[in-house]
Amino acid sequence: MSQEPTEPAGPDLSQGVALADLAGGKLVGHVGSDEILLVRSGDAVFAVSAHCSHYHGPLVDGIVVDGGVRCPWHHACFDLRSGEAVRAPALSPLECWTVEQRDGRVYVKGKREPKPRTRLDTVAPRRIVIVGGGAAGFAAAEMLRRRGYDGSIVMLSQDSAPPVDRPNLSKDYLAGSAPEDWLPLRADEFYAENHIDLRLSAEVVGVDIKSRQVLIAGGERLPYDRLLLATGAEPVRLPIPGADQPHVHTLRSLADCRAIIASAKGARRAVVIGASFIGLEAAAALRAREIEVHVVAPEARPMERVLGPGMGDFVRALHEEHGVIFHLQDTVTAIDGGRATLKSGGVIEADVVVVGVGVRPRLTLAEKAGLALDRGVVVNDYLETSAPGVYAAGDIARWPDRHSGETIRVEHWVVAERQGQVAACNMLGLTEKFDAVPFFWSQHYDVPINYVGHAEKWDEIAIDGDIKGKDCLLRYKRGGRVLAVASIFRDVESLQAELAMERGEAV
Ligand SMILES: Cc1cc2nc3c(=O)[nH]c(=O)nc-3n(C[C@H](O)[C@H](O)[C@H](O)COP(=O)(O)OP(=O)(O)OC[C@H]3O[C@@H](n4cnc5c(N)ncnc54)[C@H](O)[C@@H]3O)c2cc1C
Ligand code: FES
């Protein structure tokens, strides 16, 4: 089959465009086959890749703030001067081009080398150990090298695979529409090339705070000057008969996901226990594999606790349109071979069962080490724990969130990565506060839900637009103050809400 060559977008920028055409601030054009975003910021004009280095989001649909462009899809931010991905989830820089302004026109010339960051001028520690090869652990290691740290980094991960794009495990990869080579956050060579000693299937069993050593299963002791704990969370397992059978799965690691895919091959029917984000994303992915899917959950509406009743009803209807069968206000009491018995008395025959009933932060190490805990590892503004030199980031960390005025712990990919990055800077003595507004996204079929802020409880939800029409922005308020915003296809408003929260302005 021959593929039609696609025309590159917009005008040929090597021929120049009138500065007046940039009145809106952004414009997409091309040079050769490269699609380029031209951005006017004050008197300066920048030319960078038109698409985000995370999942290829169209940056022209994002917003420009303080010399950076923010991606509409998952809120990554890139520095326009250097192309650097300054905020996760993007980790790779954008390409940059030289721009010339002449006679009221802007010309894009050749590609220019990305500007490396200025080197560290702090006295850096020599030995950094990271426990965890997930979002926070990887982002920290990558940022340490990006900032010019040249001491040793040992990253210990209980996973058998190098760090992967975990959110994809319940989405395109599980659905069969993304190949496995999309999953690694970096190619295998990255670790050796960057002198990151990544040790897989390595379990850390203790931390001796006094002697500053990490104890690895098998007996090895590893000294550290700075330590990052990023042990994430583990799926809650159901204490019901039959939950230990090989076709009953939880979903956290690539190995879990591969096991679900293996069970799903040739399966006719699946039961998903739990209507959580992961449970429902897994349901959608299994529907894409043309498997009949039953979701069993105790709540009356999926996701109501996080998103409220309107979104809950919408999410349920969306999944029903795609053929998912819900058994709400019900639970599975036993799994006997291929038969799942419900509390209500029914029985569902299932070839594969996915349990998505929530996760528990992995706190054992922190607890054994004597760190201060409060439904998570307590950290300060700089993500340092109660033990000097020991930091925590990601799903385990409970930090003082200045936006809600509370100490919070969340289970979001972007937050974990951003915390890993800030912890890395602080391990190098750069004293950066973690003050990012929490953000997460979830994908159900072709509908993305974006969420900024944090609202555990609210007294009002103001709905702008039409939830059923997939064009809406919901403000979760307490005492008249907006704590969080959820949206569907309102990307610019979601970015603006995040910005307003960062600046402490009304949303
Ligand atoms: C299937 C799935 C889909 C998701 N989708 C989304 C999404 O769409 N959007 C979103 O915002 N969030 C999503 N999340 C949540 C997100 O992935 C987590 O919030 C994020 O991974 C947390 O990062 P972390 O670094 O804290 O933990 P993890 O990424 O879980 O990494 C923890 C690491 O610590 C290691 N570890 C733990 N204990 C030890 C030990 N004792 N010794 C050595 N290593 C240890 C583990 O092996 C692992 O490598 C999803 C999660 C899953 C499982
Ligand atoms: S596509 Fe840009 S942040 Fe995900």
Side-chain angles (χ1 to χ4, degrees):
M1 218 167 63
S2 71
Q3 264 198 324
E4 288 289 309
T6 47
E7 283 288 305
D12 181 350
L13 299 174
S14 65
Q15 302 301 310
V17 288
L19 198 53
D21 292 347
L22 261 173
K26 295 193 246 73
L27 176 156
V28 172
H30 65 276
V31 172
S33 59
D34 289 320
E35 290 197 356
I36 295 173
L37 175 72
L38 216 50
V39 179
R40 188 175 180 168
S41 177
D43 287 338
V45 177
F46 301 98
V48 295
S49 332
H51 290 98
C52 177
S53 63
H54 179 230
Y55 284 180
H56 215 62
L59 294 174
V60 69
D61 296 337
I63 62 172
V64 174
V65 183
D66 299 336
V69 59
R70 298 189 180 188
C71 178
W73 287 1
H74 316 112
H75 296 202
C77 178
F78 299 91
D79 184 279
L80 285 165
R81 265 174 218 285
S82 63
E84 182 180 349
V86 287
R87 286 183 188 204
L91 298 166
S92 302
L94 300 178
E95 289 186 310
C96 299
W97 282 260
T98 307
V99 173
E100 255 181 45
Q101 293 191 46
R102 238 185 302 128
D103 309 324
R105 289 180 75 75
V106 180
Y107 297 85
V108 173
K109 300 292 182 179
K111 268 185 204 166
R112 62 182 167 82
E113 285 299 307
K115 249 202 224 143
R117 277 209 191 219
T118 36
R119 304 284 294 182
L120 280 178
D121 56 3
T122 59
V123 181
R126 298 314 302 159
R127 296 167 303 185
I128 294 183
V129 174
I130 298 172
V131 185
F138 176 82
E142 197 268 348
M143 183 55 83
L144 287 169
R145 289 297 183 234
R146 224 198 279 180
R147 288 286 178 124
Y149 168 66
D150 61 2
S152 97
I153 303 176
V154 182
M155 184 152 72
L156 301 154
S157 171
Q158 227 175 325
D159 291 348
S160 52
V164 294
D165 181 13
R166 214 177 285 291
N168 215 322
L169 300 180
S170 53
K171 302 180 183 69
D172 292 347
Y173 178 64
L174 182 58
S177 50
E180 192 160 310
D181 58 11
W182 286 10
L183 292 180
L185 292 178
R186 282 288 187 270
D188 288 353
E189 309 81 76
F190 169 84
Y191 301 94
E193 282 168 11
N194 287 279
H195 307 286
I196 296 169
D197 181 2
L198 170 62
R199 303 196 196 169
L200 298 174
S201 305
E203 187 190 0
V204 175
V205 291
V207 176
D208 185 340
I209 301 284
K210 255 199 182 146
S211 65
R212 296 203 161 196
Q213 288 186 343
V214 157
L215 180 61
I216 306 173
E220 189 186 348
R221 284 180 166 268
L222 205 58
Y224 65 81
D225 300 318
R226 297 285 181 277
L227 173 68
L228 175 64
L229 294 178
T231 47
E234 62 195 333
V236 172
R237 283 164 212 278
L238 278 183
I240 58 169
D244 53 354
Q245 295 169 92
H247 69 299
V248 182
H249 305 274
T250 52
L251 175 52
R252 185 79 190 177
S253 63
L254 175 57
D256 297 336
C257 193
R258 284 184 183 141
I260 297 175
I261 292 169
S263 288
K265 289 217 167 98
R268 231 172 35 82
R269 192 178 294 153
V271 166
V272 174
I273 305 179
S276 60
F277 286 98
I278 289 178
L280 289 183
E281 288 185 353
L286 293 170
R287 286 298 299 135
R289 291 180 177 267
E290 298 187 357
I291 296 171
E292 185 180 312
V293 177
H294 293 252
V295 173
V296 184
E299 56 266 42
R301 283 190 184 93
M303 296 184 187
E304 181 174 8
R305 193 178 55 77
V306 181
L307 296 175
M311 278 287 213
D313 286 338
F314 165 75
V315 167
R316 175 183 178 161
L318 178 66
H319 282 271
E320 283 176 340
E321 268 168 40
H322 286 82
V324 172
I325 301 156
F326 282 92
H327 304 262
L328 296 172
Q329 295 176 295
D330 210 343
T331 50
V332 173
T333 53
I335 306 166
D336 181 5
R339 292 160 58 84
T341 305
L342 305 186
K343 191 173 176 200
S344 60
V347 168
I348 309 171
E349 302 277 346
D351 312 300
V352 50
V353 178
V354 179
V355 181
V357 294
V359 296
R360 232 180 250 123
R362 299 180 74 169
L363 303 177
T364 315
L365 273 184
E367 192 175 4
K368 280 199 328 200
L371 302 181
L373 299 184
D374 170 19
R375 296 158 293 152
V377 181
V378 174
V379 293
N380 63 16
D381 283 336
Y382 304 94
L383 304 178
E384 195 168 22
T385 67
S386 55
V390 180
Y391 294 76
D395 286 3
I396 58 167
R398 178 170 291 273
W399 82 97
D401 171 46
R402 78 178 163 91
H403 311 284
S404 60
E406 293 164 4
T407 61
I408 66 172
R409 187 186 70 76
V410 302
E411 290 150 8
H412 307 344
W413 179 256
V414 170
V415 172
E417 288 188 319
R418 291 179 182 176
Q419 288 189 340
Q421 294 176 328
V422 169
C425 295
N426 289 326
M427 288 194 287
L428 298 179
L430 294 169
T431 51
E432 263 187 38
K433 280 190 178 178
F434 179 75
D435 58 5
V437 174
F439 168 82
F440 76 82
W441 83 98
S442 184
Q443 181 84 28
H444 302 261
Y445 310 97
D446 56 348
V447 181
I449 299 173
N450 280 4
Y451 184 100
V452 289
H454 183 76
E456 270 169 40
K457 289 196 188 103
W458 57 81
D459 50 34
E460 184 195 344
I461 302 177
I463 302 174
D464 181 10
D466 177 13
I467 302 180
K468 279 194 195 135
K470 301 173 192 164
D471 171 26
C472 60
L473 185 111
L474 281 70
R475 292 182 174 82
Y476 300 82
K477 301 184 184 182
R478 198 165 62 216
R481 186 166 168 253
V482 177
L483 295 177
V485 167
S487 59
I488 299 174
F489 292 126
R490 293 277 187 101
D491 292 340
V492 167
E493 284 163 82
S494 172
L495 282 168
Q496 282 165 342
E498 181 181 56
L499 183 62
M501 287 182 200
E502 279 167 20
R503 292 179 170 171
E505 295 166 358
V507 181

